[in-house]
Amino acid sequence: MKKIFLISIFTLAKTYFAWAQEKGLDTIRNVEFYKDFQSAMPVEEDSTFLPWTFACIGLFFIACVGCVVIWYYGKVKQAQLEQLLAESNTQLAMQKFQSNSYAYILNSTVFPMSLVGEDGKIAWCNQAYYDIFGKNNKTFDIFEGAAQDIDKESIRNSKVAQSYYVKMKTEKGKVVGFKRTLIPLPGDSNGSKNFAVVENYLEA
C-alpha cells in the first residue's frame, strides 16, 4: 500500500513539473541573481536641488539690491551733510564779519563804551574809553559820579536801558559831565548781571 502511495505522489509531482515547464512557470531556472542589488535599484533625482538653487540666487540678488540701496542712501546723506556744512560755514563767516564790523564800529565811536559785569569787572572797552579813563582800570563802578539820590536798585534790575547823569574825572584830572546809559545784557549761568555802559558827553 505504501509503495503504491509513493508511486502515486511521484507521478503527480512529475506531471505538475511537466505542466509548469510547459506554461513557463519554472521560476527556479529563470531566476537571475544580481551581484550588486543596490545598483539595480532605480535612482531617484533630488527634488530639492532646484528650489534651493533658486533660493540662493534670490538671496544673492536681494543682497546686491540692498548694497545698492545702502550706497545710494549714504551718498544722499553725505550730500545733505555737505550742504548743511556749507550753510553752517556761510553763517559762521557772516557772524564773524558782523562781529568784526560791530567791533570796528564800536571801537571807532567817539563815545566811551564798555562791557561791565555786576561785580564791576571790565570785559571790554573801546578806544574812547581808554582815551578818557586810561588803560589801567580793571574795574568800573557803574554808579561812580552819579547823584546820591538815584534809585540804584531800580536801575540795576531794570529790563530796559536806563540813563542818569554823572560827573567823572578823566585820566588827566579834568572833571567831565556825562549822560550815562546802562543797557542790561544777558546774565551769566550763575545769575550775575552784565551791562553795556555808554557815556555821552554833556559838558567839559
Side-chain angles (χ1 to χ4, degrees):
M1 179 64 67
K2 184 177 180 180
K3 185 177 180 179
I4 295 173
F5 178 74
L6 291 173
I7 292 173
S8 301
I9 292 300
F10 179 78
T11 303
L12 182 61
K14 186 176 179 180
T15 304
Y16 173 77
F17 281 112
W19 175 80
Q21 187 176 5
E22 180 180 333
K23 297 296 184 179
L25 300 178
D26 190 8
T27 56
I28 296 177
R29 297 182 182 181
N30 296 327
V31 172
E32 296 183 6
F33 295 94
Y34 296 96
K35 294 181 180 180
D36 189 357
F37 178 75
Q38 292 182 354
S39 63
M41 297 293 292
V43 178
E44 296 183 1
E45 295 183 357
D46 189 1
S47 60
T48 61
F49 176 75
L50 288 178
W52 276 107
T53 302
F54 285 117
C56 292
I57 294 174
L59 290 175
F60 177 75
F61 177 76
I62 292 173
C64 292
V65 172
C67 291
V68 172
V69 171
I70 294 173
W71 173 82
Y72 178 75
Y73 179 77
K75 294 291 288 185
V76 171
K77 294 298 291 184
Q78 182 179 0
Q80 292 177 349
L81 290 175
E82 289 177 354
Q83 182 178 359
L84 290 175
L85 182 61
E87 293 177 356
S88 178
N89 290 335
T90 301
Q91 293 178 356
L92 289 175
M94 292 178 61
Q95 291 176 359
K96 184 177 180 181
F97 173 75
Q98 291 176 354
S99 298
N100 293 337
S101 299
Y102 294 155
Y104 178 78
I105 294 171
L106 294 174
N107 199 50
S108 300
T109 184
V110 296
F111 301 107
M113 304 180 67
S114 60
L115 298 178
V116 182
E118 190 175 18
D119 56 359
K121 290 183 179 180
I122 300 174
W124 172 88
C125 55
N126 64 353
Q127 187 61 41
Y129 180 93
Y130 288 138
D131 293 340
I132 297 296
F133 304 111
K135 295 185 176 182
N136 296 324
N137 294 338
K138 302 299 181 182
T139 60
F140 183 76
D141 183 0
I142 59 177
F143 295 110
E144 182 180 357
Q148 297 296 322
D149 58 348
I150 65 171
D151 189 351
K152 296 181 181 180
E153 288 301 317
S154 177
I155 294 174
R156 185 184 287 109
N157 296 324
S158 176
K159 302 297 183 182
V160 295
Q162 297 289 326
S163 296
Y164 49 96
Y165 297 99
V166 299
K167 283 190 176 182
M168 297 284 295
K169 183 180 290 187
T170 67
E171 185 183 23
K172 297 178 180 181
K174 186 177 181 179
V175 178
V176 179
F178 296 99
K179 180 183 179 181
R180 178 173 295 167
T181 302
L182 192 68
I183 305 170
L185 299 176
D188 296 331
S189 58
N190 59 5
S192 61
K193 298 180 176 64
N194 298 312
F195 305 97
V197 183
V198 181
E199 312 281 10
N200 293 314
Y201 290 107
L202 290 179
E203 57 185 16

